[in-house]
Amino acid sequence: MSVSEMFAALQGALGQDQDIREEIRKVVQALEQTAREILTLLQGVHQGPGFQHIPKKCQKAREHFATVRTQMESLKTKFPADQYYRFHEHWRFVLQRLVFLAAFVVYLESETLVTREAVAEILGIEADRERGFHLDIEDYLSGVLALASELARLAVNSVTAGDYSRPLRISTFINELDSGFRLLNLKNDSLRKRYDGLKYDVKKIEEVVYDLSIRGLNKEATVGAGGEK
């Protein structure tokens, strides 16, 4: 084979690779649009009246996740199944965003932490990497850390809306989350930096709880929560 033939073959391989990346990019753009729609919907819970409509907003968000699952099925067909990590960077960010959104919906519904397996089911992908297109552990953890930041914001807005018990529950949840992350030996630089930000979320929520205590509203919140149970 001549040099020109060799490089012609290489160009053909590069062209095929570029075609794959372009097809992936189109689907990822659609996923990003759906993620923005879900985020816009859920941001409504931060408004005063939004607390009264949390169940309805979560239901609508679940409907949007049906679209996500369809888009994920399309994405799976755009590249060879054994080359997941070769193209992973193309969808890593949007997948982390979708993990966060799924985790936020589950928290709003039940005030619990969604499992990686449950997120994978919501998104229509696998939890086990051996089964193909899957939810990478680090992508799951990144999404959970984004949830912590959102809940810190929710704690502040809860007080503004007159819901004094929610910040106490968020504080308990975030502290449990922090304890869980402390069990991990994080070596990924990006994930480690995000985890370092969790301490600021913990501090922000503690300040909210402290303010409620100073104002005597924590007792009212505790009594109210006890009455609900």
Side-chain angles (χ1 to χ4, degrees):
M1 181 182 293
S2 66
V3 172
S4 60
E5 290 173 335
M6 290 172 58
F7 275 83
L10 291 173
Q11 176 57 39
L14 288 173
Q16 291 178 354
D17 187 78
Q18 186 59 40
D19 290 342
I20 291 175
R21 294 180 186 278
E22 180 61 24
E23 289 299 313
I24 291 174
R25 187 184 65 81
K26 292 177 182 178
V27 182
V28 168
Q29 285 182 332
L31 280 167
E32 290 172 343
Q33 176 60 36
T34 306
R36 283 192 292 270
E37 292 172 0
I38 298 174
L39 180 61
T40 299
L41 174 65
L42 294 179
Q43 288 302 294
V45 304
H46 291 288
Q47 308 297 327
F51 286 89
Q52 304 171 12
H53 305 296
I54 285 178
K56 184 178 295 184
K57 290 183 181 298
C58 288
Q59 181 180 354
K60 289 184 177 179
R62 291 272 186 178
E63 293 172 1
H64 281 292
F65 277 113
T67 301
V68 170
R69 288 190 290 273
T70 299
Q71 292 166 338
M72 283 294 184
E73 284 299 320
S74 176
L75 181 58
K76 296 174 188 178
T77 67
K78 304 304 182 183
F79 65 98
D82 60 347
Q83 296 185 21
Y84 176 91
Y85 283 105
R86 181 181 180 188
F87 301 104
H88 178 240
E89 284 297 314
H90 289 278
W91 59 74
R92 179 174 61 88
F93 177 78
V94 70
L95 189 57
Q96 292 175 3
R97 174 64 64 87
L98 288 167
V99 170
F100 150 63
L101 293 171
F104 193 27
V105 168
V106 171
Y107 180 83
L108 291 173
E109 291 174 339
S110 62
E111 297 191 356
T112 60
L113 177 62
V114 68
T115 65
R116 184 163 69 99
E117 291 74 16
V119 175
E121 183 177 353
I122 291 171
L123 302 183
I125 58 180
E126 302 292 341
D128 184 357
R129 65 181 298 176
E130 302 301 325
R131 301 183 64 178
F133 195 106
H134 63 283
L135 176 56
D136 184 84
I137 293 177
E138 292 180 353
D139 288 339
Y140 166 73
L141 293 175
S142 293
V144 169
L145 287 171
L147 170 67
S149 297
E150 191 73 9
L151 291 182
R153 179 187 173 201
L154 185 63
V156 174
N157 291 328
S158 296
V159 176
T160 303
D163 185 345
Y164 304 129
S165 64
R166 190 180 298 272
L168 304 182
R169 301 197 302 273
I170 290 177
S171 179
T172 299
F173 177 82
I174 293 297
N175 277 293
E176 290 178 352
L177 197 63
D178 184 45
S179 297
F181 270 94
R182 290 179 186 275
L183 298 175
L184 304 178
N185 180 22
L186 300 176
K187 296 182 179 180
N188 178 286
D189 290 340
S190 175
L191 187 58
R192 180 71 197 188
K193 289 179 181 178
R194 292 194 179 194
Y195 168 62
D196 288 342
L198 179 58
K199 62 184 178 183
Y200 297 106
D201 296 325
V202 172
K203 182 179 179 181
K204 185 175 181 179
I205 297 170
E206 286 177 345
E207 289 174 350
V208 173
V209 173
Y210 176 74
D211 183 61
L212 289 174
S213 176
I214 291 297
R215 294 160 60 188
L217 296 174
N218 61 329
K219 295 179 181 179
E220 176 184 332
T222 302
V223 172
E228 291 174 3
K229 292 179 181 179

